[in-house]
Amino acid sequence: MNFNNLSSRLKSVKIGLSTLALAMLTMTVSAQQEEHKNPNVRLGQKALLDGDFKSAVTHLEKALPAEASDPNVLYLLGYSQFQSADFKKAAETFGKVVALDAKNANALYYKAKANNVLAVEKESKLTVAQKEQLLQSVVADYSAAIAINASDAKLYQNRAVAYRDLGILKGTEGAKGYNKQAATDAYNKAVADYEKVLAYDSNRKDIQTELKKAKVYRDLLK
């Protein structure tokens, strides 16, 4: 399967992929051999392209540990886990991708995004300190991705969300770990990142709304 054919096939798959995710999958899957030597990788690729992410996870997990040193296979596994809402495993898998390929901004993005979900889950059993540590790691991963690709507005937008969540965590009066200054700093950084996104596209109504909310949250801190 050549790059053009693969790209066309990916674009025809109706699985709600964003442009960014589509581009990443195109690059990652095309990096594989035309017929991967590992049959489980081949089955995983097919399932992923068909939008059957749970089956993709099953097949790609079976490809390990034989393919544990291949960042492309791990990336496909992490993406399939993410789309299957297994955010803990997705974060761990993307962490392995980053360990093998430190300049993989896409893996950093998904690792951070998965960990952000884990940090704010309503039924999370993490302590406040653990949530704070996780959100700090999310910010660090987005910052690392920005250092690699400083023109990607999506990275600033998602880092703003992480800063906002950190502000909420530290700025809830009466809650354990309350720290007004830390919350203020987090909200200020969220504001700066939202403004950065608007610098790319000033017509983003959703970002305008989130910017206003971050300022209100900050100004209501007691």
Side-chain angles (χ1 to χ4, degrees):
M1 184 185 299
N2 63 34
F3 180 86
N4 291 331
N5 288 340
L6 177 60
S7 180
S8 297
R9 184 179 176 188
L10 278 168
K11 289 178 181 177
S12 70
V13 178
K14 305 301 184 182
I15 52 178
L17 295 177
S18 67
T19 301
L20 174 63
L22 178 61
M24 288 188 291
L25 282 176
T26 300
M27 291 186 294
T28 303
V29 181
S30 65
Q32 302 288 341
Q33 299 174 10
E34 182 176 343
E35 286 293 331
H36 198 284
K37 65 182 184 299
N38 192 314
N40 283 306
V41 173
R42 296 197 299 272
L43 289 170
Q45 289 173 324
K46 182 180 184 305
L48 192 154
L49 291 170
D50 289 339
D52 187 354
F53 298 111
K54 294 193 179 212
S55 291
V57 169
T58 298
H59 293 305
L60 291 167
E61 284 182 339
K62 288 180 180 179
L64 305 179
E67 309 300 332
S69 61
D70 187 336
N72 291 317
V73 172
L74 290 173
Y75 186 95
L76 296 177
L77 173 59
Y79 185 82
S80 299
Q81 291 168 331
F82 185 93
Q83 293 297 335
S84 299
D86 193 341
F87 300 111
K88 188 174 187 299
K89 284 188 177 180
E92 292 172 352
T93 301
F94 281 118
K96 293 175 182 178
V97 176
V98 174
L100 293 167
D101 181 8
K103 296 296 184 181
N104 193 324
N106 297 326
L108 285 163
Y109 167 82
Y110 273 107
K111 176 174 177 277
K113 200 168 181 67
N115 276 328
N116 204 151
V117 173
L118 294 173
V120 300
E121 282 182 331
K122 289 184 178 180
E123 298 181 0
S124 173
K125 295 181 180 180
L126 296 175
T127 65
V128 171
Q130 289 172 326
K131 290 179 181 179
E132 180 179 0
Q133 184 177 27
L134 197 54
L135 285 171
Q136 292 288 7
S137 78
V138 169
V139 167
D141 283 337
Y142 282 133
S143 297
I146 288 170
I148 298 166
N149 186 5
S151 62
D152 189 346
K154 185 182 293 292
L155 297 175
Y156 296 99
Q157 178 180 341
N158 282 274
R159 189 173 67 174
V161 171
Y163 277 131
R164 179 206 65 193
D165 290 340
L166 189 56
I168 292 172
L169 181 68
K170 301 299 291 182
T172 302
E173 189 176 16
K176 189 174 182 179
Y178 171 77
N179 185 318
K180 180 179 179 180
Q181 187 56 55
T184 300
D185 290 344
Y187 283 128
N188 283 338
K189 289 174 180 177
V191 166
D193 275 347
Y194 282 133
E195 289 176 340
K196 182 75 173 179
V197 177
L198 289 174
Y200 286 103
D201 183 358
S202 61
N203 294 318
R204 290 281 303 272
K205 299 296 185 184
D206 58 329
I207 301 302
Q208 292 174 16
T209 298
E210 292 303 320
L211 174 60
K212 290 177 182 177
K213 286 164 63 176
K215 289 180 176 179
V216 169
Y217 293 158
R218 178 194 63 193
D219 296 341
L220 289 177
L221 287 170
K222 297 179 181 180

